[in-house]
Amino acid sequence: MLPRLTHATLLRYAGLFTWAMVGGGLVMNTLFVMQTGVGGLRPAVLAGPVTAYLTFGVAFWLATQSLGSRRGWAWQLALMLAMAVSAIGISAFTGSGLGAILMMVMAAVVPWLLPGWPGMAWLIIQHLPLVLVFMFGIGFSLFEAIMQSMLYIGVSGFVYVAGLVAKQQAEAREEQRQLNAELRATRSLLADSARVGERLRISRELHDLLGHHLTALSLNLEVAGHLSEGRAQEHVRQGHALAKLLLTDVREAVSAMRGEERIDLEAALRALIEGIPSLRVELDVDGLLAVDDPQCAQVLLRCAQEIITNAIRHARADSLRFKLRRDGNELHLEAHDDGVGSDAFIPGNGLSGMRERLKAIDGRLEVVTAAGQGFHIDIHLPIEVPA
């Protein structure tokens, strides 16, 4: 079965294919120079353009390895600079427009690395050195060199817009995936809450109505047993024994129904973490854990969602591990990612909101982080221990 191709993956493969085709043109250009040049086969003729060509390929591969992830701006700027310089170098070494074609390839990923007007400005500025290349390398006049560069800028701008649309669609798909995951997890909680509420209602009806009448019947039969004689008394006592047995069965049924009034946290969490494309999430649950309070389950679910969002947007993590366990009358949710971490950590709105949610139900949040060691979050929730 073929893997699902996203917009970012298609852009990457299309760019690599174009880069390979430019390599074919570079080989033909180099062979032509070596055949017509003075001195026959010279390694220097080949070293410059090949180095620039391979540099562009490596930089493009690294830049498209994780499009959409929030890598450091210095790393993104270095990759863009490497691609731009190597593309200009190819045109300068070969005296052709091959480098400008690679700039078109680069234009597809600029919106992912430098979005908005800065990306457009970068796209225009990187084409300016081509004016000099066309003038001194090919022999164009100033006007011809400017018009040729404007042509490449126009095509690159079109590719930039295509890359920008792909980026916006990828972001919209990720937002829709998050909403769907939240809806599935919330639906799981609502289904459990509805089931718990219905069981609670039925158990109360059995206990309050049927249990009350059976108790009254048992007392009346006991009195009748003292007032009757002979065979009638024997039948009354049998009826009394049956009434007591039935009352015991009703109480056991009520206790069993109340014992199943639990919300499955594992099912809700697995629905939340399912299908995250940019983050590998693992869930380790210590035994069968469930809670009685729907509010507690909802708070835990919202905290888990915020942890996932922070791991992707701020920690720039590749993997996240959740561990859910019970310790006495507390429920612990531990989360640890492999992100960048920070020595000067300042809680943002997300963590502050988590603390406020937990404080409302007497819970607490602990955060441990350091540069290069990711984030470790420990959530403590008080729960009722079943008798």
Side-chain angles (χ1 to χ4, degrees), residues 183-243:
L183 286 175
R184 287 195 301 270
T186 303
R187 184 178 61 184
S188 177
L189 289 182
L190 288 176
D192 281 350
S193 298
R195 177 180 55 81
V196 167
E198 185 64 15
R199 284 181 174 273
L200 183 60
R201 185 189 66 81
I202 296 174
S203 65
R204 284 174 177 171
E205 292 293 329
L206 288 174
H207 181 270
D208 296 342
L209 297 179
L210 189 57
H212 172 75
H213 293 315
L214 284 174
T215 301
L217 177 61
S218 178
L219 292 175
N220 280 279
L221 287 173
E222 184 176 1
V223 173
H226 292 293
L227 298 177
S228 61
E229 296 179 355
R231 296 190 62 183
Q233 186 182 46
E234 181 181 350
H235 286 293
V236 169
R237 288 179 178 177
Q238 288 180 357
H240 182 216
L242 290 174

Coordinates of all heavy atoms in Angstrom, one line a residue, residues 183-243:
L183 N -12.8 16.1 19.1 CA -14.2 15.7 19.1 C -14.4 14.2 19.4 O -15.3 13.8 20.1 CB -14.8 16.0 17.7 CG -15.1 17.4 17.4 CD1 -15.6 17.6 16.0 CD2 -16.2 18.0 18.3
R184 N -13.4 13.4 18.9 CA -13.5 11.9 19.2 C -13.3 11.7 20.7 O -14.0 10.8 21.3 CB -12.5 11.2 18.3 CG -12.8 11.1 16.9 CD -11.9 10.0 16.2 NE -10.5 10.3 16.3 CZ -9.8 11.0 15.4 NH1 -10.4 11.5 14.4 NH2 -8.5 11.3 15.6
A185 N -12.3 12.4 21.2 CA -12.0 12.2 22.7 C -13.2 12.7 23.5 O -13.6 12.0 24.5 CB -10.7 12.9 23.0
T186 N -13.7 13.8 23.1 CA -14.9 14.3 23.9 C -16.1 13.4 23.7 O -16.9 13.2 24.7 CB -15.2 15.8 23.4 OG1 -14.1 16.6 23.5 CG2 -16.3 16.4 24.2
R187 N -16.3 12.9 22.5 CA -17.4 12.0 22.3 C -17.3 10.7 23.2 O -18.3 10.2 23.7 CB -17.5 11.6 20.8 CG -18.7 10.7 20.5 CD -18.7 10.4 19.0 NE -17.5 9.7 18.6 CZ -17.2 9.3 17.3 NH1 -18.0 9.7 16.4 NH2 -16.1 8.7 17.0
S188 N -16.0 10.3 23.3 CA -15.8 9.1 24.2 C -16.2 9.4 25.6 O -16.8 8.6 26.3 CB -14.3 8.7 24.1 OG -14.1 7.6 25.0
L189 N -15.8 10.6 26.1 CA -16.1 11.0 27.5 C -17.6 11.2 27.6 O -18.2 10.8 28.6 CB -15.4 12.4 27.8 CG -13.9 12.3 28.0 CD1 -13.4 13.7 28.4 CD2 -13.5 11.3 29.1
L190 N -18.3 11.8 26.6 CA -19.7 12.0 26.7 C -20.5 10.7 26.7 O -21.5 10.5 27.4 CB -20.2 12.9 25.5 CG -19.8 14.3 25.6 CD1 -20.3 15.1 24.3 CD2 -20.4 15.0 26.8
A191 N -20.0 9.7 25.9 CA -20.6 8.4 25.9 C -20.5 7.7 27.3 O -21.5 7.2 27.8 CB -20.0 7.5 24.8
D192 N -19.3 7.8 27.8 CA -19.1 7.2 29.2 C -19.9 8.0 30.2 O -20.5 7.3 31.1 CB -17.6 7.3 29.6 CG -16.8 6.2 28.9 OD1 -17.4 5.3 28.3 OD2 -15.6 6.2 29.0
S193 N -20.0 9.3 30.1 CA -20.8 10.1 31.1 C -22.3 9.7 31.0 O -23.0 9.6 32.0 CB -20.6 11.6 30.9 OG -19.2 11.9 31.0
A194 N -22.8 9.6 29.7 CA -24.2 9.2 29.5 C -24.5 7.8 30.1 O -25.5 7.6 30.7 CB -24.5 9.3 28.1
R195 N -23.5 6.9 29.8 CA -23.7 5.6 30.4 C -23.7 5.6 31.9 O -24.5 4.9 32.5 CB -22.6 4.7 29.8 CG -22.6 3.2 30.4 CD -21.5 2.4 29.8 NE -20.2 3.1 30.0 CZ -19.5 3.0 31.1 NH1 -20.0 2.3 32.2 NH2 -18.4 3.6 31.3
V196 N -22.8 6.3 32.5 CA -22.7 6.4 33.9 C -23.9 7.0 34.5 O -24.5 6.5 35.5 CB -21.4 7.2 34.4 CG1 -21.5 7.6 35.8 CG2 -20.2 6.4 34.1
G197 N -24.4 8.1 33.9 CA -25.6 8.7 34.4 C -26.9 7.8 34.3 O -27.7 7.8 35.2
E198 N -27.0 7.1 33.2 CA -28.1 6.2 33.1 C -28.1 5.0 34.1 O -29.1 4.7 34.7 CB -28.2 5.6 31.7 CG -29.4 4.7 31.4 CD -30.7 5.5 31.4 OE1 -30.6 6.8 31.4 OE2 -31.7 4.9 31.5
R199 N -26.9 4.5 34.3 CA -26.7 3.4 35.3 C -27.0 4.0 36.7 O -27.6 3.3 37.5 CB -25.3 2.9 35.3 CG -25.1 1.9 34.1 CD -23.6 1.4 34.1 NE -23.4 0.4 33.1 CZ -23.7 -0.9 33.3 NH1 -24.2 -1.3 34.4 NH2 -23.5 -1.8 32.3
L200 N -26.6 5.2 37.0 CA -26.8 5.8 38.3 C -28.3 6.0 38.5 O -28.8 5.7 39.6 CB -26.1 7.1 38.4 CG -26.2 7.8 39.7 CD1 -25.6 7.0 40.9 CD2 -25.5 9.2 39.7
R201 N -29.0 6.4 37.4 CA -30.5 6.7 37.6 C -31.2 5.3 37.8 O -32.1 5.2 38.7 CB -31.0 7.3 36.3 CG -32.5 7.7 36.4 CD -33.0 8.1 35.0 NE -33.0 7.0 34.1 CZ -33.9 6.1 34.0 NH1 -35.0 6.1 34.8 NH2 -33.9 5.1 33.1
I202 N -30.8 4.3 37.1 CA -31.5 3.0 37.3 C -31.2 2.4 38.6 O -32.1 1.9 39.3 CB -31.1 2.0 36.1 CG1 -31.5 2.5 34.8 CG2 -31.6 0.6 36.4 CD1 -31.0 1.7 33.6
S203 N -29.9 2.5 39.1 CA -29.6 2.0 40.4 C -30.3 2.7 41.5 O -30.8 2.1 42.5 CB -28.1 2.1 40.6 OG -27.6 3.4 40.7
R204 N -30.5 4.0 41.4 CA -31.3 4.8 42.4 C -32.7 4.4 42.4 O -33.3 4.3 43.5 CB -31.1 6.3 42.1 CG -29.8 6.9 42.5 CD -29.7 8.3 42.1 NE -28.4 8.9 42.5 CZ -28.0 10.1 42.1 NH1 -28.7 10.9 41.3 NH2 -26.9 10.6 42.6
E205 N -33.3 4.2 41.2 CA -34.7 3.7 41.1 C -34.9 2.4 41.8 O -35.8 2.2 42.5 CB -35.1 3.7 39.7 CG -35.2 5.0 39.0 CD -36.3 5.9 39.6 OE1 -37.3 5.4 40.1 OE2 -36.2 7.1 39.6
L206 N -34.0 1.5 41.5 CA -34.0 0.1 42.1 C -33.9 0.2 43.6 O -34.6 -0.4 44.4 CB -32.9 -0.8 41.5 CG -33.1 -1.3 40.1 CD1 -31.9 -2.0 39.7 CD2 -34.4 -2.1 40.0
H207 N -33.0 1.0 44.1 CA -32.7 1.1 45.5 C -33.8 1.8 46.2 O -34.3 1.4 47.3 CB -31.4 1.9 45.8 CG -31.0 2.0 47.2 ND1 -31.5 3.1 48.0 CD2 -30.3 1.2 48.0 CE1 -31.0 2.9 49.2 NE2 -30.3 1.8 49.3
D208 N -34.3 3.0 45.7 CA -35.3 3.8 46.4 C -36.7 3.2 46.3 O -37.5 3.3 47.3 CB -35.3 5.2 45.8 CG -34.0 5.9 46.1 OD1 -33.2 5.4 46.9 OD2 -33.7 6.9 45.4
L209 N -37.1 2.7 45.1 CA -38.5 2.2 44.9 C -38.6 0.7 45.3 O -39.3 0.3 46.2 CB -38.9 2.4 43.5 CG -39.0 3.9 43.1 CD1 -39.5 4.1 41.7 CD2 -40.0 4.7 44.0
L210 N -37.9 -0.1 44.5 CA -38.1 -1.6 44.7 C -37.5 -2.0 46.0 O -38.1 -2.8 46.7 CB -37.4 -2.3 43.5 CG -37.6 -3.8 43.5 CD1 -39.1 -4.1 43.4 CD2 -36.8 -4.4 42.3
G211 N -36.4 -1.5 46.4 CA -35.8 -1.8 47.7 C -36.7 -1.4 48.9 O -36.9 -2.2 49.9
H212 N -37.3 -0.2 48.8 CA -38.2 0.2 49.8 C -39.4 -0.7 50.0 O -39.8 -1.1 51.1 CB -38.6 1.7 49.6 CG -39.7 2.2 50.5 ND1 -39.4 2.5 51.8 CD2 -41.0 2.4 50.3 CE1 -40.5 2.9 52.4 NE2 -41.5 2.8 51.5
H213 N -40.0 -1.0 48.8 CA -41.2 -1.9 48.9 C -40.9 -3.3 49.4 O -41.7 -3.9 50.1 CB -41.9 -1.9 47.5 CG -42.5 -0.6 47.1 ND1 -43.2 0.2 47.9 CD2 -42.4 0.1 45.9 CE1 -43.6 1.3 47.3 NE2 -43.1 1.2 46.0
L214 N -39.8 -3.8 48.9 CA -39.4 -5.1 49.4 C -39.1 -5.1 50.9 O -39.4 -6.1 51.6 CB -38.1 -5.6 48.6 CG -38.4 -6.1 47.2 CD1 -37.1 -6.4 46.5 CD2 -39.3 -7.3 47.2
T215 N -38.5 -4.1 51.4 CA -38.3 -4.0 52.9 C -39.6 -3.9 53.6 O -39.8 -4.6 54.7 CB -37.5 -2.7 53.2 OG1 -36.2 -2.8 52.5 CG2 -37.2 -2.6 54.7
A216 N -40.6 -3.2 53.1 CA -41.9 -3.1 53.8 C -42.6 -4.4 53.7 O -43.2 -4.9 54.7 CB -42.7 -2.0 53.1
L217 N -42.5 -5.1 52.5 CA -43.1 -6.5 52.4 C -42.5 -7.5 53.4 O -43.2 -8.3 54.0 CB -42.9 -6.9 51.0 CG -43.4 -8.4 50.6 CD1 -44.9 -8.5 50.9 CD2 -43.1 -8.7 49.2
S218 N -41.1 -7.4 53.5 CA -40.5 -8.3 54.4 C -40.9 -8.1 55.9 O -41.1 -9.1 56.6 CB -38.9 -8.1 54.3 OG -38.3 -9.0 55.2
L219 N -41.1 -6.8 56.3 CA -41.5 -6.5 57.6 C -42.9 -7.0 57.9 O -43.3 -7.6 58.9 CB -41.4 -5.0 57.9 CG -40.0 -4.5 58.0 CD1 -40.0 -2.9 58.1 CD2 -39.2 -5.1 59.1
N220 N -43.8 -6.8 56.9 CA -45.2 -7.3 57.0 C -45.3 -8.8 57.1 O -46.1 -9.3 57.9 CB -46.1 -6.7 55.9 CG -46.5 -5.3 56.1 OD1 -47.4 -5.0 56.8 ND2 -45.7 -4.4 55.5
L221 N -44.5 -9.4 56.3 CA -44.5 -10.9 56.3 C -44.0 -11.4 57.7 O -44.4 -12.5 58.2 CB -43.7 -11.5 55.2 CG -44.3 -11.4 53.8 CD1 -43.3 -11.8 52.7 CD2 -45.6 -12.2 53.7
E222 N -43.0 -10.7 58.2 CA -42.5 -11.1 59.5 C -43.6 -11.0 60.6 O -43.7 -11.9 61.5 CB -41.3 -10.3 59.9 CG -40.6 -10.7 61.2 CD -39.3 -10.0 61.5 OE1 -39.0 -9.1 60.7 OE2 -38.7 -10.2 62.5
V223 N -44.3 -9.9 60.6 CA -45.4 -9.7 61.5 C -46.5 -10.8 61.3 O -47.0 -11.4 62.2 CB -46.0 -8.3 61.4 CG1 -47.3 -8.2 62.3 CG2 -45.0 -7.3 61.8
A224 N -46.8 -11.1 60.0 CA -47.8 -12.1 59.7 C -47.4 -13.5 60.2 O -48.2 -14.3 60.6 CB -48.1 -12.1 58.2
G225 N -46.1 -13.7 60.2 CA -45.6 -15.0 60.6 C -45.8 -15.2 62.1 O -46.1 -16.4 62.6
H226 N -45.8 -14.1 62.9 CA -46.1 -14.2 64.3 C -47.6 -14.4 64.7 O -48.0 -14.9 65.7 CB -45.5 -13.0 65.1 CG -44.0 -12.9 65.0 ND1 -43.2 -13.9 65.7 CD2 -43.2 -12.1 64.4 CE1 -42.0 -13.5 65.5 NE2 -41.9 -12.4 64.7
L227 N -48.4 -13.8 63.8 CA -49.9 -13.9 64.0 C -50.5 -15.1 63.5 O -51.7 -15.4 63.9 CB -50.5 -12.6 63.4 CG -50.0 -11.3 64.0 CD1 -50.7 -10.1 63.2 CD2 -50.3 -11.2 65.5
S228 N -50.0 -15.8 62.5 CA -50.6 -17.0 61.9 C -50.2 -18.2 62.6 O -49.2 -18.3 63.4 CB -50.2 -17.0 60.4 OG -48.8 -17.1 60.3
E229 N -50.9 -19.3 62.3 CA -50.6 -20.6 62.9 C -50.7 -21.7 61.8 O -51.3 -21.5 60.8 CB -51.6 -20.9 64.0 CG -51.5 -20.0 65.2 CD -52.5 -20.3 66.3 OE1 -53.3 -21.2 66.0 OE2 -52.5 -19.6 67.4
G230 N -50.1 -22.9 62.1 CA -50.3 -24.0 61.3 C -49.6 -23.9 59.9 O -48.6 -23.3 59.8
R231 N -50.3 -24.5 58.9 CA -49.7 -24.4 57.5 C -49.7 -23.0 57.0 O -48.8 -22.7 56.2 CB -50.6 -25.3 56.6 CG -50.5 -26.8 57.0 CD -51.1 -27.6 55.9 NE -50.4 -27.4 54.7 CZ -50.8 -28.0 53.5 NH1 -51.9 -28.8 53.5 NH2 -50.0 -27.9 52.4
A232 N -50.6 -22.1 57.4 CA -50.5 -20.7 56.9 C -49.3 -20.0 57.4 O -48.6 -19.3 56.7 CB -51.8 -20.0 57.4
Q233 N -48.9 -20.3 58.6 CA -47.6 -19.7 59.2 C -46.4 -20.2 58.4 O -45.5 -19.4 58.1 CB -47.5 -20.1 60.6 CG -46.3 -19.4 61.3 CD -46.2 -19.7 62.8 OE1 -46.3 -20.9 63.1 NE2 -46.0 -18.7 63.6
E234 N -46.4 -21.5 58.0 CA -45.3 -22.0 57.2 C -45.2 -21.3 55.9 O -44.1 -20.9 55.4 CB -45.5 -23.5 57.0 CG -44.4 -24.2 56.2 CD -44.6 -25.6 56.0 OE1 -45.6 -26.2 56.6 OE2 -43.8 -26.2 55.2
H235 N -46.3 -21.1 55.2 CA -46.2 -20.4 53.9 C -45.8 -18.9 54.1 O -45.1 -18.4 53.2 CB -47.6 -20.5 53.2 CG -47.9 -21.8 52.7 ND1 -47.2 -22.4 51.6 CD2 -48.8 -22.8 53.1 CE1 -47.7 -23.6 51.3 NE2 -48.7 -23.8 52.2
V236 N -46.3 -18.3 55.1 CA -45.9 -16.9 55.4 C -44.4 -16.8 55.6 O -43.7 -15.9 55.1 CB -46.6 -16.3 56.6 CG1 -46.0 -15.0 57.0 CG2 -48.1 -16.2 56.2
R237 N -43.8 -17.7 56.3 CA -42.4 -17.7 56.6 C -41.6 -18.0 55.3 O -40.5 -17.4 55.1 CB -42.0 -18.8 57.6 CG -42.5 -18.4 59.0 CD -42.1 -19.5 60.1 NE -42.5 -19.1 61.4 CZ -42.4 -19.8 62.5 NH1 -41.9 -21.1 62.4 NH2 -42.8 -19.4 63.7
Q238 N -42.1 -18.8 54.4 CA -41.4 -19.0 53.1 C -41.5 -17.8 52.3 O -40.5 -17.4 51.6 CB -42.1 -20.2 52.4 CG -41.8 -21.6 53.0 CD -42.5 -22.7 52.2 OE1 -43.3 -22.4 51.2 NE2 -42.3 -23.9 52.6
G239 N -42.6 -17.1 52.3 CA -42.7 -15.8 51.6 C -41.8 -14.8 52.2 O -41.2 -14.0 51.4
H240 N -41.6 -14.8 53.5 CA -40.7 -13.9 54.1 C -39.3 -14.1 53.7 O -38.5 -13.2 53.4 CB -40.9 -14.0 55.7 CG -40.0 -13.0 56.4 ND1 -39.4 -13.3 57.6 CD2 -39.6 -11.8 56.1 CE1 -38.6 -12.3 58.0 NE2 -38.8 -11.3 57.1
A241 N -38.9 -15.4 53.7 CA -37.5 -15.8 53.2 C -37.3 -15.4 51.8 O -36.2 -14.9 51.4 CB -37.3 -17.3 53.4
L242 N -38.3 -15.6 50.9 CA -38.1 -15.2 49.5 C -38.0 -13.7 49.4 O -37.3 -13.1 48.6 CB -39.3 -15.7 48.7 CG -39.4 -17.2 48.5 CD1 -40.7 -17.6 47.8 CD2 -38.2 -17.7 47.7
A243 N -38.8 -12.9 50.2 CA -38.7 -11.4 50.1 C -37.3 -11.0 50.6 O -36.7 -10.0 50.0 CB -39.8 -10.9 51.0

